[in-house]
Amino acid sequence: MIKPGCSFKAWILFSLIFAAALRTQAQDVTLRGFVKDSATQTIITNASISIKGLRGGARSNNEGRFRIPTPQHAVTITVTSVGYNSKTLHLDSVPAEEIVFSLSRSFKALAEAKVVNKRQRYRNKGNPAVELIRQVIDHKDSNRMEAYTTATYQKYEKLVVSVDKVNGKIEKSGLLKPYHFLIENSDTTKLEGRRLSPVYLEETYSDNYYRKSPEKTKSIITGKRNVDYGELIDMKGISMYLNRLYQDFNVYDNNISVFTNLFLSPIAESAPTFYMYFIEDTTEVDNIKLIRLSFRPRNPNDLLFRGTMWITLDGRYAIQKLRLLVSKSINFNFVRGMNINQDFTRQPDGRYLLTKSDVLGDFGITKSGTGLYGERVVSFVNFKANMPLSDSLFKGPGTEILDSAESQPDSFWVNNRADTLTKYEGKVYANVDSLKRMKSFRRLVDWSTFLIAGYKQAGPVELGPASTFYSFNPVEGFRLRFGGRTTTHFSTRYYSEAYAAYGFKDQKWKYFVSGTYSLNNKSVYGFPQHYLRVSYQKETQIPGQQLQFVQEDNFLLSFKRGNNDKWIYNDNFRINYMHELRNHLSYAFGFRWWEQTPAGTISYVAKNGADTIRTITTTEVSGEIRWAPHEQFYIGKLYRVPIINKYPIIDFNVTQGIKNAFRGQYNYTNLDLNFYKRFYESVIGYTDVTLDFGYVVGKVPFPLLDIHHANQTYAYQLQSYNLMNFLEFVSDHYAAAYVDHYFNGFFFNKIPLLKKLKWREVIEGKILFGGVRDENNPLRNPELVKFPLTNGKTETFSLSNTPYIEAGFGIANIFKLIRVDFIKRFTYLDHPEIAQWGIRVRSKFDF
């Protein structure tokens, strides 16, 4: 509000400002123009336009046009652009129509600009190298293959892994003596000072198609082969993991994934903020002038490249050649060196497209000594553009493998290899075939599998997993378990798994038996899954515990904090049908008969204690639909682990309880929707976000509500509340969010001591909203089963208007393997026996 004494002055001030604005508007007009290349007639974007005597200016947009306010009297206008001669035009008056500025190329200016003292203070402003890179950035879309309406090409891929610098003592030891023929096949000519013994080779040949509108891609793999060490080693999993490390990338994208880490491209929109650029030289190839531009990170500890690119000066500002390296000081595990070379070839229409990519990586636990050397060479041939493509070509999954792909004869590879094998690489197939027939090697792999995966081969079955042989808990006490499962030696269609366990405290047997029939004659642990499974299990369980990729009776998880006395005995009979489609849409249907018996301190008491319920029995049918575009897996012996990428995962489940069917006691509907997405943030890391929603329709006792996933172990669980007690919260409606951000050392890399340790920062937060309607709340409905008590105190609650919140920060990459999290709980601190803060540990192998 304006004070009374100031209203007149305010009005005068406002009038003066308004009058000045009208005066300026009356005197100024808008000059419109268009900037193009005088030789090629192509547009010039990001050109600088200035008017003599006036501050400010303008730049030409993506269409080469600009608009700039100017006085009505005579003006002198200058247009400049990197790589071109500037042009100045004097106008007696501003015309109403658009003015065209044609600029001629100037190679001399760029050649002279290379003489730069790199010790001088670096600045973006007025730097011709930065002006040049901005032109490259502005022309990215027009230089991509995706600029064409359609495109077709063939692609040959070769992936080789070699052992480098085998220790002399190990080489002469009796352990490796039978396998000397592998080490003796050594290439000493490929890299100076290296002795590379190839141990893995994979080749792929494919036909590839692209359509711009509607955008679709299709890859038909016509040839595929790799060395095979036998059924004891998961070759598909190894292939998937190696291709994940050496995945394709496009330098024209803002982010580039290399060895599972995300680097900011040197031509990303924000690249000039993080990189320094230097013009080194000019050259000429096929009558096209090129600028050799070097670049390096402003901070050598950030996940950024250093290297060189050759840029065309034909008005397209395309990359003709690229070399990428990384600094030895970046936070990169097990990578001793990396070298990426890419070559681009000029097409008939003048565009430059990638024709060869060579990615080399040197891996080792120590800075020197024995290590692995991996190289992936990709060649692109027979490129054709703007040809009509049938819609039927793009039907089905984006990648299709022909049935004949893995059985192509040698003649196919001789005729289609765009990059020939060296004589040392050519021996790998025969050497590995000889190796896998050796009994000593099979025995070595068998025991190694037992130590790593926990399974021991015994003819057509595997015994294990070893981590579950022994465990303990308050209900069962000391517990022994023994089990196993069939392998493909038994059948490729029928799979069976079983175990038996005995608790010495409760003196009860637990057991599990299942039979699975593969409907697509493929492993039920592979992709795509299509099977029918029938199982029966009698087992103990902690309500609300959810573990990621580990068995619940794993020995290490026997150690828990706080009270761990709330258990149930479960009897489950299940029938499950699963069908995964190659487009990564899957659906499942299920039937479950479930009988719960309370154990430990839990008892099912209703009607204010007047009625004790021995068991709760339900009969359910369920349906699930899941969509995970471009999802990949690493398939291990014990589980199938998804390889996270940038695409979302959406999962919707509906479960219907049926009263009076097979002694089912309740009618209810349980709905659950889960959304997961990883967001990449370039140099500051990435964020994992999970959203979870649930709703229970119907009147049910608390064991059938959503019991929120708690964690009382000392291991950090991603999808559980790590400071929530078991069975602490139940809901019949809820919404939850889990957020974890990984900085990948962005801050620690700038602190001298922490930089040497190569630690990485993580922050996390979890929030849960929910509640229980009166019809399902035993505090308001005495007919329902009461919440369990411990020492006369209620330890199970429904959420109020206040959400449950916990958050913390972690230090990851300790000893390149361990993550330690410090977590704080912020709400419901008055609940009994809860931990307000805690330290949790998690292990993860990552680069």
Side-chain angles (χ1 to χ4, degrees):
M1 178 179 294
I2 300 176
K3 295 181 180 179
C6 299
S7 59
F8 180 72
K9 294 179 179 179
W11 174 253
I12 293 296
L13 179 61
F14 175 78
S15 300
L16 290 174
I17 294 173
F18 184 71
L22 289 176
R23 181 170 176 267
T24 302
Q25 189 176 26
Q27 292 183 349
D28 286 358
V29 295
T30 299
L31 174 66
R32 296 179 299 113
F34 177 78
V35 187
K36 66 178 182 178
D37 187 302
S38 61
T40 65
Q41 303 301 306
T42 57
I43 62 173
I44 299 177
T45 64
N46 207 37
S48 177
I49 298 93
S50 61
I51 296 177
K52 185 177 181 180
L54 296 180
R55 291 185 177 183
R59 286 188 178 274
S60 58
N61 61 19
N62 291 334
E63 297 178 349
R65 289 181 165 81
F66 66 87
R67 296 166 64 93
I68 185 171
T70 180
Q72 288 184 343
H73 55 73
V75 294
T76 300
I77 183 170
T78 301
V79 179
T80 61
S81 182
V82 61
Y84 291 89
N85 294 309
S86 62
K87 188 167 186 177
T88 300
L89 183 65
H90 181 78
L91 301 173
D92 293 329
S93 62
V94 178
E97 64 275 6
E98 189 176 66
I99 302 177
V100 177
F101 290 85
S102 298
L103 304 187
S104 60
R105 297 179 199 162
S106 172
F107 304 115
K108 180 180 178 181
L110 288 173
E112 292 175 348
K114 74 183 182 66
V115 185
V116 176
N117 184 356
K118 295 184 181 180
R119 293 186 178 182
Q120 293 178 354
R121 182 182 177 184
Y122 182 88
R123 299 180 63 182
N124 279 356
K125 187 176 181 180
N127 187 337
V130 176
E131 291 294 322
L132 178 61
I133 207 67
R134 291 192 194 280
Q135 290 285 5
V136 176
I137 294 171
D138 290 341
H139 287 80
K140 285 200 306 181
D141 290 342
S142 61
N143 286 318
R144 295 173 180 268
M145 182 196 70
E146 291 78 7
Y148 292 107
T149 303
T150 63
T152 67
Y153 58 92
Q154 278 74 50
K155 178 181 175 183
Y156 170 75
E157 307 167 60
K158 180 181 73 173
L159 177 59
V160 184
V161 178
S162 305
V163 178
D164 180 31
K165 298 179 182 178
V166 178
N167 184 282
K169 293 182 179 180
I170 297 177
E171 185 177 352
K172 296 177 183 178
S173 67
L175 182 65
L176 293 183
K177 187 176 180 180
Y179 319 121
H180 235 263
F181 61 93
L182 287 176
I183 301 173
E184 290 174 351
N185 182 36
S186 299
D187 188 351
T188 58
T189 62
K190 189 174 185 65
L191 291 175
E192 185 178 355
R194 299 294 182 94
R195 183 185 173 193
L196 304 177
S197 302
V199 294
Y200 181 85
L201 174 61
E202 177 179 330
E203 297 179 276
T204 306
Y205 191 83
S206 60
D207 297 326
N208 297 268
Y209 305 90
Y210 168 79
R211 184 182 65 194
K212 187 173 185 178
S213 181
E215 189 171 21
K216 281 280 189 178
T217 60
K218 182 79 170 187
S219 178
I220 301 176
I221 297 177
T222 57
K224 185 176 180 64
R225 72 171 179 174
N226 59 273
V227 298
D228 184 4
Y229 282 87
E231 72 279 357
L232 294 177
I233 296 180
D234 177 24
M235 298 308 303
K236 288 186 177 180
I238 291 175
S239 174
M240 186 71 70
Y241 191 77
L242 289 174
N243 280 282
R244 166 69 171 165
L245 294 181
Y246 286 89
Q247 63 181 299
D248 290 333
F249 72 85
N250 187 343
V251 69
Y252 288 109
D253 291 338
N254 287 330
N255 298 301
I256 297 174
S257 180
V258 180
F259 305 146
T260 72
N261 282 268
L262 206 65
F263 288 75
L264 184 72
S265 170
I267 58 172
E269 276 78 2
S270 60
T273 304
F274 299 95
Y275 282 98
M276 296 188 295
Y277 302 90
F278 305 92
I279 294 176
E280 301 288 352
D281 199 2
T282 59
T283 185
E284 187 171 321
V285 176
D286 296 331
N287 297 320
I288 300 296
K289 292 285 186 178
L290 303 174
I291 292 289
R292 180 161 64 91
L293 186 78
S294 68
F295 51 90
R296 65 175 188 238
R298 292 174 183 263
N299 185 333
N301 301 309
D302 287 340
L303 282 177
L304 300 168
F305 295 108
R306 61 183 179 89
T308 307
M309 67 178 76
W310 283 256
I311 302 169
T312 67
L313 291 179
D314 57 352
R316 297 186 181 276
Y317 297 96
I319 295 176
Q320 188 261 352
K321 189 175 183 179
L322 176 70
R323 186 187 182 196
L324 300 176
L325 304 167
V326 293
S327 170
K328 292 183 178 180
S329 60
I330 67 171
N331 197 332
F332 220 177
N333 288 339
F334 312 111
V335 179
R336 301 189 295 202
M338 185 190 74
N339 192 337
I340 299 176
N341 290 280
Q342 291 194 329
D343 295 324
F344 299 76
T345 301
R346 193 169 188 263
Q347 303 301 309
D349 64 352
R351 284 193 178 96
Y352 283 78
L353 297 180
L354 180 65
T355 51
K356 186 173 183 180
S357 176
D358 190 353
V359 181
L360 304 98
D362 182 10
F363 306 91
I365 298 176
T366 60
K367 292 183 178 180
S368 59
T370 304
L372 293 176
Y373 185 86
E375 180 181 20
R376 182 173 185 257
V377 179
V378 182
S379 300
F380 304 84
V381 297
N382 301 328
F383 183 85
K384 298 177 182 178
N386 298 331
M387 298 182 64
L389 297 176
S390 171
D391 291 342
S392 61
L393 182 65
F394 296 96
K395 291 183 178 180
T399 300
E400 182 180 340
I401 303 177
L402 297 184
D403 294 336
S404 60
E406 297 183 358
S407 58
Q408 294 286 9
D410 290 340
S411 58
F412 171 87
W413 296 103
V414 171
N415 294 330
N416 290 288
R417 279 193 186 106
D419 188 80
T420 57
L421 301 181
T422 67
K423 67 175 183 178
Y424 305 100
E425 294 169 350
K427 291 181 180 180
V428 174
Y429 290 116
N431 285 347
V432 173
D433 285 341
S434 300
L435 182 69
K436 70 179 182 181
R437 289 193 292 266
M438 299 173 64
K439 290 184 178 180
S440 60
F441 173 74
R442 295 174 63 86
R443 189 163 49 248
L444 175 65
V445 172
D446 186 21
W447 283 104
S448 299
T449 302
F450 177 72
L451 294 174
I452 297 173
Y455 279 96
K456 177 69 174 66
Q457 192 84 15
V461 300
E462 291 179 326
L463 304 178
S467 60
T468 64
F469 286 166
Y470 166 72
S471 61
F472 58 88
N473 61 68
V475 171
E476 298 175 275
F478 169 58
R479 169 185 165 120
L480 291 180
R481 169 179 150 166
F482 185 77
R485 63 185 179 185
T486 62
T487 68
T488 52
H489 285 291
F490 177 80
S491 173
T492 57
R493 279 197 178 272
Y494 299 95
Y495 293 84
S496 181
E497 184 174 0
Y499 71 78
Y502 185 77
F504 286 83
K505 183 177 179 180
D506 64 356
Q507 298 183 349
K508 291 184 178 181
W509 283 96
K510 294 86 184 175
Y511 50 87
F512 170 78
V513 59
S514 74
T516 305
Y517 179 72
S518 174
L519 296 171
N520 59 1
N521 201 27
K522 295 183 178 180
S523 170
V524 295
Y525 306 106
F527 175 85
Q529 294 179 337
H530 190 196
Y531 63 77
L532 180 68
R533 175 176 292 160
V534 180
S535 65
Y536 184 83
Q537 183 182 47
K538 186 179 183 65
E539 187 56 281
T540 57
Q541 182 188 4
I542 300 173
Q545 182 179 38
Q546 177 176 330
L547 304 175
Q548 286 88 40
F549 310 122
V550 292
Q551 299 284 337
E552 291 190 14
D553 48 3
N554 186 298
F555 169 72
L556 295 177
L557 298 180
S558 297
F559 301 94
K560 296 181 174 67
R561 62 173 178 85
N563 288 334
N564 180 30
D565 52 8
K566 299 178 181 65
W567 290 70
I568 56 175
Y569 290 105
N570 276 333
D571 287 83
N572 277 291
F573 174 75
R574 297 173 184 262
I575 301 175
N576 296 100
Y577 171 79
M578 164 63 75
H579 192 187
E580 285 182 334
L581 306 178
R582 288 194 174 274
N583 61 2
H584 296 278
L585 180 72
S586 64
Y587 55 91
F589 300 101
F591 169 85
R592 178 169 77 156
W593 180 84
W594 180 21
E595 185 175 81
Q596 303 181 53
T597 304
T601 60
I602 294 181
S603 60
Y604 294 161
V605 179
K607 297 181 179 179
N608 293 323
D611 188 8
T612 300
I613 300 174
R614 182 177 177 273
T615 62
I616 293 177
T617 304
T618 57
T619 301
E620 300 175 341
V621 292
S622 61
E624 176 186 6
I625 186 167
R626 183 176 184 271
W627 185 55
H630 306 286
E631 186 175 36
Q632 294 178 315
F633 302 93
Y634 175 75
I635 303 168
K637 284 285 183 180
L638 186 57
Y639 46 76
R640 186 181 75 169
V641 182
I643 299 173
I644 305 301
N645 55 31
K646 64 181 180 179
Y647 299 98
I649 299 175
I650 302 173
D651 195 356
F652 177 70
N653 287 269
V654 57
T655 302
Q656 179 64 51
I658 305 174
K659 188 176 182 179
N660 298 325
F662 303 100
R663 294 190 288 118
Q665 298 171 315
Y666 300 94
N667 280 320
Y668 57 89
T669 304
N670 196 332
L671 306 172
D672 184 77
L673 176 64
N674 185 274
F675 172 87
Y676 171 84
K677 177 78 167 67
R678 172 167 288 181
F679 297 90
Y680 290 99
E681 309 294 341
S682 295
V683 294
I684 62 172
Y686 60 89
T687 305
D688 288 339
V689 176
T690 300
L691 303 178
D692 194 21
F693 308 91
Y695 196 91
V696 179
V697 181
K699 181 180 177 181
V700 293
F702 81 86
L704 299 182
L705 298 176
D706 284 302
I707 301 175
H708 298 295
H709 301 146
N711 175 31
Q712 286 186 218
T713 72
Y714 295 98
Y716 181 80
Q717 293 290 328
L718 295 173
Q719 301 298 321
S720 298
Y721 301 97
N722 290 280
L723 293 180
M724 183 185 291
N725 288 343
F726 295 135
L727 202 56
E728 183 180 353
F729 289 102
V730 296
S731 299
D732 59 15
H733 59 281
Y734 72 89
Y738 311 83
V739 180
D740 292 78
H741 183 81
Y742 302 81
F743 286 100
N744 288 337
F746 181 76
F747 297 106
F748 284 173
N749 289 344
K750 299 170 177 61
I751 303 174
L753 177 61
L754 297 180
K755 178 178 68 175
K756 291 185 177 180
L757 294 173
K758 293 189 180 297
W759 287 355
R760 299 173 182 174
E761 326 84 330
V762 184
I763 57 174
E764 69 260 356
K766 295 180 173 69
I767 184 168
L768 170 66
F769 295 88
V772 177
R773 302 188 303 275
D774 288 349
E775 63 177 327
N776 291 324
N777 191 337
L779 300 178
R780 297 182 180 274
N781 190 342
E783 294 184 357
L784 294 173
V785 176
K786 296 177 61 177
F787 289 147
L789 303 176
T790 301
N791 298 323
K793 295 182 179 179
T794 300
E795 292 188 347
T796 299
F797 306 89
S798 64
L799 289 154
S800 63
N801 293 330
T802 302
Y804 173 87
I805 302 174
E806 67 176 42
F809 69 94
I811 300 176
N813 209 44
I814 301 173
F815 304 120
K816 300 182 180 181
L817 187 66
I818 298 172
R819 166 180 166 180
V820 178
D821 287 82
F822 304 85
I823 309 169
K824 177 78 171 83
R825 174 168 167 165
F826 294 94
T827 55
Y828 298 99
L829 303 182
D830 57 339
H831 284 189
E833 304 294 333
I834 60 100
Q836 296 188 22
W837 65 275
I839 298 175
R840 301 291 178 267
V841 181
R842 181 178 177 84
S843 63
K844 183 184 179 184
F845 175 86
D846 203 352
F847 287 94

